[in-house]
Amino acid sequence: RAHARVAARVAAHVSPPATMAAPGEAAFFANAKRITNGGTNAEAYWSFDNTRLTFQAIRAPYNTTHPCDLIYTMNAADGSDVTLRSGARGRTTCSYWYPDGASLLFSSTMSDAPAWCPPAPDQRFGYTWPLYKHMDVYRTRVDAHPPHFERL
């Protein structure tokens, strides 16, 4: 049952070519719609109330001066209210919602002065995600203005 719920939630946001769907999966992708435009978007995770997504992306306007993944949130229903949550510092990865929906957990190299964007790994031999010496885990509240980052 859990697999079917996850597949149905993913189906609302991802539409693979018909040839990629496994037998019996076509129904899950029948009403898929695109909710991101522009940038390089990756690894989205649902809020516990299923209304918001947190994801990492390389998007304008930061992509020209800071070509690293940063953490964003958006409304899951329509992709509106895209908000930068990690600040435009360092390289980030994998953000997750706290159950209360008020905070995010993510990793970043932002504490490595001067908060540079470390080089991307060599992908010639397949997908690789590097381990950076200065990658730390942070918590931020989504209602904090300006953003505050607590190193855990």
Side-chain angles (χ1 to χ4, degrees), residues 127-146:
Y127 179 79
T128 304
W129 188 260
L131 298 176
Y132 295 106
K133 179 179 179 182
H134 298 286
M135 182 72 78
D136 290 308
V137 177
Y138 293 88
R139 176 182 178 168
T140 187
R141 291 193 51 86
V142 296
D143 61 356
H145 301 287

Side-chain angles (χ1 to χ4, degrees), residues 2-132:
H3 173 72
R5 285 193 308 269
V6 170
R9 289 190 341 206
V10 170
H13 303 287
V14 178
S15 182
T19 57
M20 289 181 61
E25 287 186 339
F28 292 111
F29 296 102
N31 296 316
K33 66 180 178 177
R34 181 180 185 162
I35 61 171
T36 59
N37 291 295
T40 302
N41 304 291
E43 298 169 2
Y45 296 95
W46 290 90
S47 61
F48 282 78
D49 66 2
N50 296 323
T51 63
R52 310 240 339 127
L53 293 169
T54 180
F55 64 102
Q56 67 190 55
I58 301 171
R59 303 172 62 97
Y62 307 104
N63 59 338
T64 57
T65 59
H66 191 84
C68 269
D69 289 308
L70 299 172
I71 301 301
Y72 295 83
T73 57
M74 70 165 54
N75 289 326
D78 61 6
S80 66
D81 193 27
V82 175
T83 305
L84 176 66
R85 299 297 181 180
S86 62
R89 303 181 298 173
R91 184 179 297 276
T92 64
T93 186
C94 297
S95 54
Y96 302 97
W97 290 95
Y98 276 77
D100 65 5
S103 298
L104 296 173
L105 179 78
F106 66 94
S107 294
S108 176
T109 61
M110 74 169 75
S111 65
D112 188 21
W116 57 289
C117 181
D122 183 350
Q123 302 288 329
R124 287 181 294 174
F125 302 105
Y127 179 79
T128 304
W129 188 260
L131 298 176
Y132 295 106

